Amino acid sequence: MFIEILAAGATAPQNQFGFWEAMEQGGVIAWFTLGVLAIMSVSSFYILFSKLFEQNKVMKQGQAARSSFWKANSLKEGAAKLDKNSAYRQIVDDGIKAEEDHARLTDPVEAHDWLHGSLDRSQGLINSKLATGLPWLATVGATSPFIGLFGTVIGIYRALIKIGIAGQASIDAVAGPVGEALIMTALGLGVAVPAVLAYNWLQGRNKRIAEDLSDFANDVLGYISSDGAVKPSAMKGGAPAKPATAAAAKPAPKK
């Protein structure tokens, strides 16, 4: 009995309708489509992880700026406490440079407008750098389903040709091409969905970073325009003053 089972297993037909078998039946077009989708998928995940690393770095720089920068006595002293390659250090340095350049202008320009434009330009450069790579994620999310659909169309076309040659739609004749078509559809969707999710997530994080940079730049603008008199309210007097108690607020009785 055992020998008969082994003999039956030895003579059992191999699976002719697996993934690699379907790809081999698809030929050059199937392999080319698979290669394009693989490149798009790998590049999408590379952009996702590299952008996450970059965003986390900028967020940590923002925490450092909020905790130490405004405790300094001047912008230059505060800038020295920030990392040299910090995005927040760039805004401060650009603000200081804009203030120095305004004094050299021969054409009268409102100082507030000049500083505001310089800080806006600085923020724009940072936001533009953070946005690099995101258009590729959007492109992958929009086009990979159609690349998979191309493979699907080719697979269905091959199935129809086999049906025409065989004269009948037998399962063994069309299983390979139809399987190839379904695989291409699934691969296209499998590449598109992570790319779209990553794009939306990274865009949302970039928006929060841009808002934080804008708030910081406004604080820098207020500090420069007021010669250091205006600081973020949380940093003006250190710890907030304790409210007076009812007993202390009550006037002393007259004698």
Side-chain angles (χ1 to χ4, degrees), residues 22-41:
M23 295 301 300
E24 289 176 0
Q25 291 184 29
V28 177
I29 295 179
W31 286 111
F32 176 77
T33 305
L34 178 63
V36 171
L37 291 175
I39 292 173
M40 296 175 79
S41 178

Side-chain angles (χ1 to χ4, degrees), residues 106-149:
T106 57
D107 186 26
V109 179
E110 181 66 29
H112 179 274
D113 295 338
W114 175 260
L115 292 170
H116 189 271
S118 299
L119 293 174
D120 273 349
R121 184 168 58 251
S122 182
Q123 293 176 69
L125 292 174
I126 297 171
N127 292 331
S128 178
K129 183 179 179 181
L130 289 173
T132 54
L134 297 189
W136 174 250
L137 290 179
T139 301
V140 171
T143 59
S144 56
F146 295 101
I147 296 175
L149 182 61

Side-chain angles (χ1 to χ4, degrees), residues 92-115:
V92 177
D93 289 343
D94 290 343
I96 295 173
K97 186 176 185 302
E99 184 182 19
E100 295 172 350
D101 291 343
H102 181 265
R104 302 188 185 100
L105 296 178
T106 57
D107 186 26
V109 179
E110 181 66 29
H112 179 274
D113 295 338
W114 175 260
L115 292 170

